[in-house]
Amino acid sequence: MQVQLSRRKQGSNRWHKTKSRLNTLHGKISRQRLAFAHEISCTIAKSSDIIVFEDLNVKGMQQFNGAMVNDNVMGMLTELVKYKAEVNGAVYHEIGRYVKSSGLCSCCTHEHKLGLGIREFECEKCGLVQCRDLAAAKSVANTGEKELIANGILVRALPKSQ
């Protein structure tokens, strides 16, 4: 559609019809993205009583990855989860932007220096081979739990599911 519009003479009837179809298509994509964000945020908000997110520098990520980060709905998703968690009576907490979460061993919390291309790593201390993203998620959960306990919001952590 974009190519078709660029080949039309600006201001002509065909240009206006193509522009209208392109706007309709962009609206459909926007509504699909919003529906997806609502679906995912409902799933997250209903799945747990304690929800911990990591505060990400999305503006900074856009400078390096551009459209890839710009197209995702991360900012909208965090706001929707925050709102739906409050409605459902869940605790929503964000850990700080500068707290180390990636590259930590989920077993012994040993810090590793990892490049962005490394998706799995072996801990130098305990030898456990783990997925970088899963280890980061566990680290975010543990950090959030510790901060909530320190703030007096959470008294006792429930056992984690296996």
Side-chain angles (χ1 to χ4, degrees):
M1 285 281 203
Q2 204 77 34
V3 172
Q4 204 174 33
L5 181 68
S6 70
R7 292 184 178 161
R8 304 264 191 242
K9 184 177 178 185
Q10 193 168 358
S12 68
N13 284 338
R14 286 188 177 191
W15 183 86
H16 284 293
K17 285 180 185 177
T18 307
K19 182 75 171 169
S20 175
R21 283 189 291 170
L22 185 63
N23 288 341
T24 304
L25 185 63
H26 282 301
K28 179 181 177 185
I29 292 169
S30 176
R31 287 187 299 276
Q32 286 175 336
R33 195 173 281 151
L34 181 63
F36 175 74
H38 274 290
E39 184 180 327
I40 295 297
S41 64
C42 277
T43 304
I44 292 171
K46 289 179 181 178
S47 67
S48 183
D49 293 335
I50 301 168
I51 300 166
V52 179
F53 268 58
E54 182 178 19
D55 181 27
L56 296 174
N57 183 9
V58 178
K59 287 268 189 204
M61 292 166 71
Q62 283 177 352
Q63 290 177 350
F64 293 109
N65 298 328
M68 185 176 79
V69 175
N70 198 21
D71 284 345
N72 78 21
V73 291
M74 195 63 200
M76 184 190 314
L77 189 65
T78 55
E79 291 301 316
L80 288 172
V81 169
K82 186 176 187 178
Y83 162 72
K84 291 176 183 183
E86 289 174 4
V87 168
N88 291 337
V91 175
Y92 176 86
H93 181 68
E94 280 189 5
I95 66 168
R97 180 177 294 183
Y98 302 106
V99 175
K100 182 147 175 79
S101 61
S102 184
L104 288 176
C105 177
S106 60
C107 184
C108 66
T109 65
H110 180 71
E111 290 188 23
H112 299 86
K113 299 278 186 194
L114 303 173
L116 292 175
I118 300 171
R119 304 317 307 162
E120 286 188 353
F121 66 96
E122 181 178 357
C123 180
E124 299 163 354
K125 198 171 186 182
C126 65
L128 181 68
V129 176
Q130 51 201 326
C131 172
R132 178 186 184 144
D133 296 329
L134 185 60
K138 289 178 182 179
S139 172
V140 167
N142 290 337
T143 304
E145 184 179 306
K146 288 175 186 173
E147 287 180 5
L148 287 171
I149 290 172
N151 292 338
I153 297 170
L154 184 65
V155 177
R156 179 182 67 88
L158 297 174
K160 296 178 183 172
S161 62
Q162 297 296 320

